Amino acid sequence: MGPMVGALRPSERAALRQLARNELPRLYALARRLGGVDPEDLVQESLLRACRSFGSLRDLQAGPKWLTTILTNTWRDWLRKDLREPDEVPVEEDGPFSLYRTIEEEDPYPYSDTLHVDVLGAFSEHDVREVLQRVPPRYRVALVLRYIEGYSTTEVAEMLERPPGTVMSQLHRARHRFEREMWDYAGESGLLVGAAAGEGRGQREVGS
Amino acid sequence: MTPPIGCGEAVRRLWEFLDGGLDAADHLQVEQHLAWCLRCCGEVAFARELRGLLRTRTGITLPDDVRNRMEHFIDELGEETEERSRP
Ligand SMILES: [Zn+2]
């Protein structure tokens, strides 16, 4: 048992509940995107922590960001082991992968004038969410906070308690990793097969 | 006059360039590179699309049953904190 925490005053309690209600959809989505844990449990635990440290929130305007920080930290506590595990892809292989150039070289839509856009268009919302979950947690968290939640690199650095330079290189590697996972996922799930061999697939379906 | 940069360096900075996260000198170098390098212009357009896709195609809606449970949880938030967090 932790030490007894002074109960919140009624006005504080009302403010926290209102804030939690307003932020609920976003917190749930954030928990799902961070992934690897039960999103509902993560949101609940984060709100309990928020309750215990409500005194540290000086300005209600900063509430959404404050809750994001608490949820991210709770997630990191829960995933501490996974976050520390060494990446299976070596550093030197991780850096240079470029989806743009790979698409150009592999040319999955030979008759298209808008090759790159076509490839991205093949990904549904489900596909992109899947790809995001394939990115290792410590890169995924950077992508989610920076590019989905829209926090600045400086803010992400504060949230993750890392120097901005570290977050920059984490983001850099995260982007390449995301691009690589996009490409691998497209190959594994046959996302791009339909385009180049669309007629062939149609005929098979008719014939079966 | 800022020294020119190659494609590798330009590509490395692209996302930060798009986000306005580069300092003025680094930003200018990328701009100058893009002024003559068609291929990197393609990379910029692609990076912009990809970033947009990450933002717009990862939508998650709160299911009704989860919302109901969570709102009930929130209604009691702050009440006997220690009592409720006890296993
Ligand atoms: Zn170039």
Side-chain angles (χ1 to χ4, degrees):
Chain A
M1 253 352 277
M4 268 308 285
V5 179
L8 294 177
R9 286 195 301 270
S11 63
E12 292 175 323
R13 205 157 57 198
L16 176 63
R17 287 175 186 176
Q18 190 55 52
L19 174 66
R21 253 181 236 112
N22 292 345
E23 294 299 309
L24 182 58
R26 193 181 64 84
L27 292 176
Y28 178 78
L30 175 62
R32 282 271 304 271
R33 287 169 182 141
L34 289 175
V37 299
D38 183 285
E40 212 175 325
D41 285 353
L42 179 59
V43 173
Q44 288 197 356
E45 174 62 22
S46 304
L47 290 177
L48 288 174
R49 288 191 186 191
C51 203
R52 290 195 286 268
S53 63
F54 192 68
S56 70
L57 177 63
R58 306 227 175 270
D59 175 14
L60 261 180
Q61 294 289 314
K65 187 175 160 187
W66 175 72
L67 285 177
T68 302
T69 306
I70 292 175
L71 191 142
T72 305
N73 278 315
T74 308
W75 175 81
R76 285 168 69 209
D77 287 348
W78 285 6
L79 255 77
R80 206 150 288 275
K81 195 180 133 287
D82 293 344
L83 289 168
R84 236 183 288 139
E85 263 170 26
D87 200 350
E88 65 278 14
V89 177
V91 180
E92 57 275 16
E93 278 182 38
D94 207 19
F97 184 87
S98 158
L99 183 56
Y100 181 82
R101 279 161 204 225
T102 305
I103 291 171
E104 212 167 61
E105 284 155 19
E106 302 286 331
D107 201 6
Y109 295 85
Y111 304 108
S112 174
D113 296 331
T114 53
L115 175 64
H116 291 90
V117 176
D118 290 352
V119 170
L120 295 186
F123 285 82
S124 69
E125 288 207 359
H126 169 81
D127 296 325
V128 179
R129 285 197 296 263
E130 285 293 312
V131 171
L132 188 61
Q133 291 308 312
R134 289 173 171 220
V135 174
R138 70 167 175 283
Y139 295 144
R140 192 164 68 234
V141 63
L143 286 178
V144 168
L145 293 175
R146 181 71 183 88
Y147 296 113
I148 300 177
E149 295 294 319
Y151 293 105
S152 72
T153 305
T154 313
E155 287 173 312
V156 175
E158 284 165 12
M159 287 174 176
L160 299 178
E161 297 160 299
R162 295 274 183 281
T166 306
V167 171
M168 293 266 278
S169 61
Q170 201 177 348
L171 276 167
H172 179 67
R173 297 196 54 190
R175 293 191 296 255
H176 284 294
R177 188 54 185 265
F178 179 71
E179 293 189 12
R180 177 199 290 277
E181 297 294 349
M182 289 269 291
W183 185 251
D184 289 351
Y185 179 90
E188 284 167 34
S189 48
L191 228 52
L192 308 178
V193 174
E199 287 177 18
R201 191 170 61 166
Q203 279 160 6
R204 264 201 306 280
E205 276 163 14
V206 170
S208 64
Chain B
M1 189 62 199
T2 48
I5 53 168
C7 290
E9 186 56 28
V11 167
R12 204 180 66 76
R13 294 183 196 168
L14 275 191
W15 283 47
E16 283 299 322
F17 173 81
L18 288 174
D19 295 336
L22 295 175
D23 65 40
D26 287 359
H27 191 91
L28 186 64
Q29 281 181 316
V30 177
E31 253 177 7
Q32 286 172 344
H33 183 87
L34 291 175
W36 60 265
C37 182
L38 217 58
R39 189 181 209 196
C40 282
C41 286
E43 291 252 18
V44 173
F46 183 71
R48 196 177 277 132
E49 290 285 333
L50 193 59
R51 205 179 44 152
L53 168 137
L54 192 53
R55 198 175 44 239
T56 59
R57 255 180 256 172
T58 54
I60 288 160
T61 37
L62 182 62
D64 284 342
D65 57 330
V66 178
R67 179 189 288 277
N68 288 340
R69 281 196 299 273
M70 291 300 296
E71 282 183 346
H72 183 71
F73 177 85
I74 291 170
D75 285 341
E76 294 181 354
L77 196 60
E79 220 102 54
E80 301 137 25
T81 308
E82 294 305 306
E83 206 60 50
R84 291 190 312 115
S85 61
R86 187 172 292 152

